[in-house]
Amino acid sequence: MKFSAALLTAVLTAVTVVSAVPFQRRAGAGAVRKMAGTTRLDAAGAVYLLSNDPNENQILVATINADGSLNLDSAVDAGGRGSHGKADGPDALFSQGSIKASKKGKVLAAVNPGSDTVSLFSINAKNPTKLTALGDPVSTEGEFPISVAFNADGTRFCVLNGGRVNGVNCYSVDKKLGPLAINNSLRLLTDKLKTDTPPAGPAGTASHILFSEDGKQLIVSVKGTPPNAGFFAVWDVAADGSLSADFKQVAPAKGGLLPFGMSVIPGKNAILATDAGIGFDVLDLADDSKSSANAIDGQVATCWSAFSSKTGNFYVTDIGTSAVTEVHVDDNLKGTIVGQTLLTPGSATIDLDIGTVNGRDFAYVLAANATSVDVIALDSPGLAERFSTLDISGPTSAAGISINPNNLQGMTVFTV
Ligand SMILES: *[C@@H]1O[C@H](CO)[C@@H](O)[C@H](O)[C@H]1NC(C)=O
Ligand SMILES: *[C@@H]1O[C@H](CO)[C@@H](O)[C@H](O)[C@H]1NC(C)=O
């Protein structure tokens, strides 16, 4: 075979091109992509949510500015893949709590539903946009993880699996090694919850995981399949973080159907849970007779909840109406509706969280279908006002990050 000059040139060019391609480092948990021109050093905190992209799950990080508004800062590789349950549209995981920050522990945990793993990060308290991966993502020992919960001091967390192999599993936080499995904390729900990976939903799926206020109980909410009501599964948590072998199955009060996002009712050993079938449930963990199911008129699917320590009220979102409903729960655990704030119709308002910024409370609501975050100022009971909106799609597409409104999920706040 004779080499022509052209062939030689082509071969040399190819060699040059190959050697010019940089070593393709596999991105791992913690790899950062900055958004253009967004670095701010005066952050009062940060909000975090998941792209939940099936190819590469990213944590989208926005700074909370001194006035409570948001600025998209960066995308941090969550270290795994996202997933989507078998249903169209936003709320891919049928869950609350897919990403969760602990203020006390200065840590952040995020699920990778398509990889069956959970990732742990430390949060730089001086600059909360800076996340550092703690160890590698670890197996959840189940399928389709959808929700995480920290204990009060952020030294332990538990994850909820919502797929075919469903249930809970807990870890202690090691600031060097990352999540360390806690003995006797892997507990299945599969006898009571038959589903697939990914599950068909939202009916008949797991929703959210939460510690009771005293940390002595771990609670999971499960949606029913109409006409059958869902339930709460409650494990006892021992001092070493291990869980009781069996859970107590607690039904919502009569009328409750699809228990979803939960919030602790402070000082009451009780939980407020949204209920996509009616509005919200109040669950007394000590005395069933004080539990109740409460209607929100005109609701379509009330699914996410958060509590404001400034107003003393709960705020719940509805994916169907884009209304945020403010709920007061009195000393006798009686719930009443205080008011409603209408966000953009059709924007599919899903996960929310509340943060205190310079003495003022703000609700951060993921409007998934509008690829934006709505900020609501909560100045006093009954006074909730739209304050500002963060656009997610512009800055992410400019930075080459793939966002799908149907995949976006989760919302958690860290304030300095
Ligand atoms: C967990 O259990 C194993 C086996 O029983 C034991 O060797 C180990 O010390 C336990 N770990 C902790 C942290 O208790
Ligand atoms: C999302 O937006 C599309 C197009 O505007 C609309 O057809 C759809 O109903 C919206 N979905 C939700 C859940 O609001």
Side-chain angles (χ1 to χ4, degrees):
M1 179 179 176
K2 276 203 328 210
F3 282 100
S4 72
L7 181 58
L8 189 59
T9 306
V11 169
L12 285 175
T13 307
V15 168
T16 310
V17 167
V18 166
S19 64
V21 171
F23 173 65
Q24 298 273 314
R25 193 175 64 83
R26 240 186 68 202
V32 180
R33 278 184 271 178
K34 292 295 274 189
M35 309 286 169
T38 51
T39 300
R40 295 182 72 109
L41 298 171
D42 60 343
V47 302
Y48 314 87
L49 64 114
L50 291 176
S51 75
N52 186 31
D53 187 282
N55 296 315
E56 186 185 36
N57 190 16
Q58 297 277 316
I59 299 169
L60 303 176
V61 184
T63 49
I64 301 176
N65 303 317
D67 67 351
S69 65
L70 300 177
N71 237 46
L72 205 55
D73 178 85
S74 49
V76 177
D77 193 333
R81 293 182 299 276
S83 187
H84 199 297
K86 289 181 208 147
D88 293 333
D91 186 27
L93 306 178
F94 316 125
S95 81
Q96 176 166 328
S98 54
I99 182 165
K100 191 76 193 159
S102 162
K103 181 165 175 145
K104 277 228 174 108
K106 301 182 177 64
V107 279
L108 177 81
V111 296
N112 299 300
S115 306
D116 302 333
T117 60
V118 62
S119 301
L120 184 65
F121 299 84
S122 71
I123 300 172
N124 180 331
K126 293 209 178 80
N127 175 8
T129 61
K130 270 190 84 175
L131 301 176
T132 306
L134 296 177
D136 290 323
V138 293
S139 169
T140 62
E141 298 184 59
E143 295 177 5
F144 200 71
I146 56 169
S147 183
V148 287
F150 280 100
N151 65 346
D153 61 5
T155 55
R156 294 189 192 122
F157 69 97
C158 300
V159 61
L160 171 62
N161 287 301
R164 190 179 57 86
V165 181
N166 54 60
V168 301
N169 197 14
C170 304
Y171 309 81
S172 57
V173 170
D174 185 300
K175 290 276 175 106
K176 284 204 183 76
L177 302 174
L180 301 180
I182 295 175
N183 279 347
N184 299 312
S185 74
L186 177 63
R187 299 289 184 249
L188 297 181
L189 272 172
T190 43
D191 281 352
K192 298 286 178 190
L193 180 57
K194 306 281 181 213
T195 187
D196 274 338
T197 301
T205 58
S207 306
H208 190 202
I209 185 168
L210 188 73
F211 281 95
S212 60
E213 190 173 29
D214 64 7
K216 291 183 176 161
Q217 292 180 299
L218 182 71
I219 308 151
V220 162
S221 49
V222 178
K223 300 167 214 79
T225 303
N228 300 316
F231 62 92
F232 300 91
V234 184
W235 286 269
D236 292 324
V237 183
D240 65 357
S242 63
L243 303 180
S244 53
D246 297 316
F247 60 89
K248 192 168 73 173
Q249 185 174 344
V250 183
K254 193 169 169 3
L257 187 62
L258 304 166
F260 206 113
M262 301 180 284
S263 300
V264 159
I265 302 174
K268 294 292 177 200
N269 196 24
I271 297 292
L272 179 137
T274 56
D275 188 315
I278 177 168
F280 66 97
D281 301 323
V282 172
L283 179 73
D284 188 326
L285 290 166
D287 177 3
D288 262 9
S289 71
K290 287 174 93 179
S291 296
S292 62
N294 305 267
I296 296 177
D297 286 344
Q299 77 102 34
V300 173
T302 307
C303 300
W304 296 269
S305 81
F307 177 75
S308 162
S309 52
K310 290 282 161 195
T311 68
N313 289 339
F314 298 84
Y315 297 81
V316 298
T317 57
D318 184 325
I319 188 173
T321 64
S322 302
V324 180
T325 302
E326 180 175 349
V327 173
H328 181 71
V329 178
D330 73 12
D331 262 357
N332 298 315
L333 294 183
K334 188 177 168 347
T336 49
I337 292 166
V338 177
Q340 275 191 333
T341 307
L342 186 62
L343 299 176
T344 309
S347 65
T349 47
I350 56 173
D351 301 79
L352 84 161
D353 200 6
I354 291 172
T356 305
V357 182
N358 293 317
R360 207 175 168 199
D361 265 15
F362 293 89
Y364 297 95
V365 182
L366 175 56
N369 214 21
T371 53
S372 59
V373 180
D374 286 313
V375 185
I376 305 173
L378 310 173
D379 283 320
S380 57
L383 192 64
E385 277 189 292
R386 276 187 93 158
F387 180 74
S388 66
T389 298
L390 171 77
D391 170 45
I392 299 173
S393 59
T396 48
S397 84
I401 295 156
S402 131
I403 296 298
N404 179 336
N406 292 343
N407 292 336
L408 294 176
Q409 188 93 69
M411 173 61 63
T412 189
V413 168
F414 182 92
T415 50
V416 297

